[in-house]
Amino acid sequence: MTSARDARRKEILKELGLTPVWRARTNNSSKSLLQALSPASAGQSNRGEPTCSAPVNAAEDRRFKILRMGWDELEASIAGCIACPLCQSRTRTVPGVGDRNADWLYVGEGPGAQEDATGEPFVGQAGKLLDNMLAAIDLKRGRNVFITNIVKCRPPGNREPAPYEAQQCEPYLARQIAMITPKLIIALGKVAAQNLLGTDASIGSLRGRLHQHSGIPVIVTYHPAYLLRTLTAKAKAWEDLCFARSTMQRLGTAE
């Protein structure tokens, strides 16, 4: 009796173009599950509408988890990260420092030797210059300001981070931005600007206008380390700071 009812049910489902979603586990169950979660099968419904799907590979799964972390879990994850070769030569990770509810977010390139030793971004001569730049527009490290970098480990020899290295650190920065919800992001230098804005344009072409990252205004200026080597650029950096201050004042008025 039961088998006859099951057979009739299957016939009705077949007529309606429906088949049972769940089947008994077989030796190929893992493969079947992966196929079921693939973008081709899970990304759209029968009507072509987007549907929710779980991460389908290790990179997506890692990003999925990072974007749901709180501060303590995030910093612990950064400290133990082995996602790229930078972990092999670091002394300490440098997650960032400052006010976690800051209106201002400053993003640099990556830690240098002193940052690698102390675990804090922008120390040494470049850090002192950044502190002076903040003071020039009535800001102070740790007070309504958060400072971090594109990558959280020092690239050997202070070289620029490789694209793959920046890619592995991107979920960490994305989560920091989501939790801080700054009103304005200041991109310090070419590497920060290009990664935040997804461009290979020069600093010169990006300065002096507002950009967007995740709906947040972005202003591009020179990295303090560059300013130490190129004194003639300091006047342009001052222009950028004035632009940033006036932009923040407008953002405050808009509220």
Side-chain angles (χ1 to χ4, degrees), residues 26-49:
T26 66
N27 291 336
N28 295 323
S29 60
S30 296
K31 180 178 180 181
S32 299
L33 179 60
L34 184 59
Q35 291 173 343
L37 293 176
S38 67
S41 61
Q44 291 187 333
S45 67
N46 290 336
R47 297 180 180 180
E49 298 169 348

Side-chain angles (χ1 to χ4, degrees), residues 71-247:
W71 278 106
D72 292 344
E73 189 179 5
L74 184 73
E75 293 191 352
S77 180
I78 292 172
C81 181
I82 55 172
C84 82
L86 293 183
C87 69
Q88 299 172 9
S89 57
R90 74 181 179 221
T91 301
R92 297 182 63 177
T93 54
V94 186
V97 68
D99 185 346
R100 292 177 175 179
N101 297 303
D103 290 335
W104 297 79
L105 174 61
Y106 281 73
V107 182
E109 174 180 314
Q114 289 179 285
E115 289 82 1
D116 179 64
T118 63
E120 182 172 339
F122 286 92
V123 295
Q125 291 302 311
K128 290 179 181 178
L129 179 54
L130 177 59
D131 289 342
N132 289 336
M133 293 167 68
L134 293 173
I137 53 174
D138 300 320
L139 295 175
K140 185 177 181 180
R141 183 187 294 246
R143 189 178 65 194
N144 204 22
V145 174
F146 194 92
I147 304 170
T148 188
N149 285 299
I150 292 295
V151 296
K152 314 305 186 186
C153 298
R154 179 196 179 198
N158 290 352
R159 63 165 172 78
E160 292 184 359
Y164 174 75
E165 295 161 354
Q167 182 182 22
Q168 296 308 301
C169 258
E170 184 275 334
Y172 291 132
L173 179 60
R175 184 57 181 152
Q176 288 177 319
I177 292 173
M179 288 193 290
I180 296 168
T181 60
K183 291 181 180 178
L184 184 63
I185 298 174
I186 308 298
L188 298 168
K190 180 184 69 175
V191 171
Q194 291 182 344
N195 278 278
L196 284 168
L197 303 179
T199 181
D200 59 359
S202 66
I203 288 289
S205 66
L206 296 172
R207 287 182 54 252
R209 53 196 178 97
L210 280 180
H211 306 273
Q212 293 282 327
H213 176 83
S214 299
I216 301 170
V218 177
I219 288 177
V220 175
T221 190
Y222 296 103
H223 194 285
Y226 175 81
L227 296 175
L228 290 174
R229 302 190 304 267
T230 314
L231 299 181
T232 55
K234 285 188 175 182
K236 295 178 180 180
W238 172 244
E239 293 174 0
D240 298 335
L241 292 175
C242 292
F243 178 42
R245 181 170 56 184
S246 63
T247 298

